[in-house]
Amino acid sequence: MSSQAIDITEGFLQPILDEKGLELVDIEYVKEGSNWFLRVYIDKEGGVDITECGDVSELLSEKLDEADPIKEAYFLEVSSPGVERPLKTRADFENNLNKNVVIKLYEPIDGEKTYEGILQSFTDDVITIAYKVKTRNQQVTIPFEKVAKARLAVAF
């Protein structure tokens, strides 16, 4: 049911976001303890505020209540993806060049399954990251299809 819930939600959500000039970052439908959560992450250049999240939540809730596509009880949450926004699509990588990222891989490259560094390029489905090992600058190239999870990361 979870992928169906996500697809249905996206169908209702996209026209709302298009009208408001917002971008869909991610949708999750997950069970935590005994509760189900439908989480929607939205964004725009410069970020979204609580009023925009509330407006989208209200409009989406009306659509979901009318159609009633999700039979179990759930909590709807609409929020910003935050500073550690997930990177899921090719466009996400193209739009976040020169930012600090963390990438987890399905299988190791050079003996590592996690890399954190600066996203230098995304060309022909290959990601290039610059990172440091102690004081030495390194680079790794990662095929897009080997990425299990990726997100922006706050650098300290």
Side-chain angles (χ1 to χ4, degrees):
M1 175 62 186
S2 67
S3 68
Q4 186 180 5
I6 290 170
D7 292 344
I8 290 167
T9 301
E10 186 173 353
F12 289 135
L13 182 61
Q14 200 57 61
I16 296 168
L17 297 181
D18 290 345
E19 180 182 311
K20 296 188 167 295
L22 300 170
E23 168 196 0
L24 174 61
V25 174
D26 199 9
I27 300 174
E28 299 175 333
Y29 186 62
V30 294
K31 189 170 189 177
E32 294 179 2
S34 60
N35 296 315
W36 283 94
F37 291 86
L38 179 60
R39 293 192 176 112
V40 174
Y41 299 95
I42 59 174
D43 209 358
K44 70 176 183 190
E45 190 68 38
V48 292
D49 62 30
I50 194 162
T51 302
E52 290 167 311
C53 291
D55 290 347
V56 170
S57 178
E58 192 174 308
L59 292 167
L60 178 59
S61 184
E62 288 173 13
K63 296 285 186 193
L64 290 170
D65 287 348
E66 284 172 25
D68 198 22
I70 302 171
K71 297 307 171 202
E72 53 268 325
Y74 61 92
F75 294 95
L76 174 63
E77 297 176 354
V78 177
S79 66
S80 159
V83 293
E84 294 197 337
R85 169 191 178 136
L87 303 175
K88 292 190 163 210
T89 66
R90 288 165 174 81
D92 288 341
F93 284 93
E94 291 165 356
N95 294 333
N96 286 285
L97 296 177
N98 300 313
K99 293 186 180 169
N100 202 54
V101 297
V102 172
I103 297 181
K104 295 184 182 203
L105 308 172
Y106 288 115
E107 54 192 53
I109 294 177
D110 298 333
E112 298 292 328
K113 284 186 79 174
T114 302
Y115 284 93
E116 179 172 353
I118 302 299
L119 176 59
Q120 289 196 304
S121 68
F122 181 73
T123 307
D124 298 327
D125 276 2
V126 176
I127 302 158
T128 303
I129 294 180
Y131 65 100
K132 281 192 176 196
V133 175
K134 299 189 184 193
T135 58
R136 291 183 35 231
N137 291 324
Q138 303 276 339
Q139 246 189 14
V140 63
T141 55
I142 302 168
F144 182 73
E145 69 271 4
K146 289 194 176 187
V147 175
K149 279 188 157 189
R151 64 175 171 78
L152 293 179
V154 177
F156 292 100

